[in-house]
Amino acid sequence: MYKYDEVDHRLVRERVEQFRDQTRRYLAGELSEDEFRPLRLMNGLYVQRHAPMLRVAIPYGHLSSNQLRKLSHIARTYDRGYGHLTTRQNIQFNWPALERVPDILAELAEVEMHAIQTSGNCVRNTTTDAFAGVAADEYLDGRAYCEIIRQWSTLHPEFAYLPRKFKIAVSGSADDRAATQVHDIGLHVVKNDAGEVGFKVIVGGGLGRTPLVGKTIREFLPTRHLLTYLDAVLRVYNRFGRRDNKYKARIKILVQAMTPEAFAAKVEDEWAHLKDGPATLRDEDVAHYASFFTDPAYEQLAANPEAFTVPLVSDAAFAKWVARNTRSHKQTGYRSVVLSLKKTGVPPGDITAEQMDAAADWADRFGFGELRVAHEQNLILPDVKESDLYEVWQLARQHGFATPNVGLLTDIICCPGGDFCSLANARSIPVAEAIQLKFDNLDYLFDLGDIDCNFSGCMNACGHHHIGNIGILGVDKNGEEWYQITLGGSQGNHTAIGKVIGPSFAQADVPLAFEKIMNLYIEQRLAGERFIETVRRIGLEPFKERVYAKSH
């Protein structure tokens, strides 16, 4: 993973001391709330319902074991013993005292971490496939380009005050696991007819109040032109994006208003002044950043050793976990392990300090000292020998990491909702728990198969509810919490926005509505058909009729 040089260290240290003085001045009454707000947001600090919330950057979801131990220490020392992993592959602390936030940032700087640009109208954390570098279907390891984008965008003077926040995602594999089509810019690695590797550029995707799937504005961009083309896109947005209405300020609204063709033409006009300029990536530039993401010292192993295959046959619980919570690896004899943070009764994405320490130890013991944060709010050990899987599973069970539900209905993507967020219309955590309790039978879950369930507490869509096969949105009705259900959303190569099936539900009725949806799915599905395929085949009307039938 990327290691800081002296310039990086100095920049982050200076930023910490700058914010320490800004915080001191605010607490002393020398800065007003309005003056302090943009300063704290630039450092990832929000004011939530009960306490400040600090969002810490985990660039493209990469963590070292030492960094995870530091996050564990911060959770114990400055918070309430846990953190929350987010859909942008970051971590949030929900209970820090304002006056101690500069101390947290100073501790983060010790392990090459920070909270810069985790908020504000700037380029946020660039995300990518959590299995980048180890995925069997990878065309190109995009992590070097994520790091290039991170350094280009950090404190960029021209793009520090965009019309609204800006999000970029990179996918380097055949299967898009980075949700590139619902980002302001999605970069999907492709090969042209000559066999050259480049990027398909997708612009104007996003969720929130106006969910839209992005539009391709360039089918093939040579990798050397990445930064000059990004500059062109951002300049067009910065110039023409609306600033009079924050609800219409995202680039997706601009692309829709201009039309994708007209927007692409503006970008090409701007790019004509930048192409082949100083920001063009040289081979040595890319090689420098790629050198931080070389393969570790893998052993030459045979597939399916006895230490793996014997318990796979004799222990059904282990076999279920392997089926759901491990992924194929490009290196024979290894697999990637998903440590589930979706155990029933625990808020989705929450991870305790004890779990952080355990996972950090396993990363050292069973891997090469690295972990990944997935945008589905789980933690990943990317390089585990197949011969070690049984032991890793046993340890994961002891620490609440082994729920074999990855990709199933109870693997819910969920924002913190009204329990924490001051923007939320409704609580999400208790409803997510009620759904998990309703479908806690693992055999039944396995029979239902792959189902993405995403939950947002408000229209800001931090839980990505629009692209869940089943989405839930918290809404406010006369001061009461209600929940709207959507069906048919999906992410990946065939991204689609879900559609509302009808009137919203009271909190107590949401699990029953889910049960009716699942019952109809079981009745209607064809052999081997996934939930989303059944929804697309029969349409929403049968589900609507079943869910709103009078015979409760």
Side-chain angles (χ1 to χ4, degrees), residues 16 56 58 193 242 246 265 450 475 521:
V16 170
V56 176
I58 303 177
D193 293 339
R242 293 185 60 170
K246 70 176 183 178
D450 292 335
V475 295
Y521 163 52

Side-chain angles (χ1 to χ4, degrees), residues 181-441:
Q181 296 185 59
V182 288
H183 279 73
D184 297 292
I185 295 178
L187 299 167
H188 204 144
V189 173
V190 292
K191 288 185 178 180
N192 65 12
D193 293 339
E196 298 171 318
V197 174
F199 294 105
K200 176 192 287 187
V201 183
I202 304 163
V203 173
L207 303 177
R209 291 177 181 271
T210 310
L212 292 170
V213 176
K215 304 297 183 182
T216 299
I217 64 167
R218 177 166 270 273
E219 290 288 349
F220 185 83
L221 177 73
T223 54
R224 67 183 181 277
H225 294 310
L226 175 64
L227 294 187
T228 56
Y229 198 80
L230 291 179
D231 268 325
V233 174
L234 267 294
R235 283 186 175 185
V236 172
Y237 172 51
N238 213 10
R239 179 181 177 187
F240 295 104
R242 293 185 60 170
R243 296 175 185 271
D244 61 326
N245 185 332
K246 70 176 183 178
Y247 301 116
K248 297 182 179 181
R250 297 292 295 269
I251 194 173
K252 61 187 177 183
I253 304 299
L254 178 62
V255 172
Q256 187 181 45
M258 275 188 171
T259 74
E261 295 76 17
F263 182 87
K266 290 283 188 186
V267 172
E268 292 293 324
D269 288 345
E270 184 66 34
W271 191 39
H273 302 287
L274 302 170
K275 186 179 179 181
D276 297 320
T280 303
L281 294 173
R282 302 169 300 172
D283 290 344
E284 53 264 39
D285 297 326
V286 176
H288 169 72
Y289 291 104
S291 70
F292 293 100
F293 303 99
T294 55
D295 286 346
Y298 292 125
E299 297 180 32
Q300 297 302 310
L301 303 172
N304 301 315
E306 284 191 6
F308 171 52
T309 58
V310 170
L312 194 65
V313 173
S314 62
D315 195 326
F318 173 62
K320 285 184 176 180
W321 178 79
V322 169
R324 298 309 314 187
N325 291 40
T326 72
R327 294 289 182 271
S328 61
H329 199 286
K330 70 177 185 181
Q331 186 74 18
T332 301
Y334 288 82
R335 291 185 77 85
S336 297
V337 171
V338 182
L339 300 174
S340 172
L341 298 180
K342 310 297 178 61
K343 181 180 179 180
T344 298
V346 177
D350 278 11
I351 181 169
T352 68
E354 291 75 17
Q355 287 178 315
M356 293 185 213
D357 285 335
D361 291 344
W362 302 339
D364 289 333
R365 180 178 170 187
F366 299 109
F368 301 95
E370 291 188 5
L371 307 98
R372 313 284 182 85
V373 176
H375 80 266
E376 293 89 353
Q377 300 175 292
N378 290 315
L379 195 62
I380 293 168
L381 300 173
D383 305 293
V384 178
K385 295 178 186 176
E386 289 181 333
S387 57
D388 289 331
L389 284 174
Y390 193 64
E391 186 175 0
V392 170
W393 172 66
Q394 291 173 313
L395 292 169
R397 292 180 81 183
Q398 295 172 19
H399 288 83
F401 271 136
T403 306
N405 65 342
V406 172
L408 300 178
L409 179 60
T410 58
D411 185 20
I412 300 173
I413 294 176
C414 185
C415 73
D419 285 309
F420 295 97
C421 182
S422 57
L423 300 176
N425 294 319
R427 293 172 297 166
S428 54
I429 293 171
V431 181
E433 181 180 358
I435 294 167
Q436 289 173 325
L437 286 168
K438 186 75 173 178
F439 297 92
D440 204 30
N441 183 305

Side-chain angles (χ1 to χ4, degrees), residues 19 23 26-27 36 40 45 52 96-102:
F19 186 63
T23 303
Y26 170 70
L27 293 173
F36 186 59
R40 62 171 170 78
L45 186 63
L98 174 58
E99 63 273 14
R100 303 198 73 186
V101 169

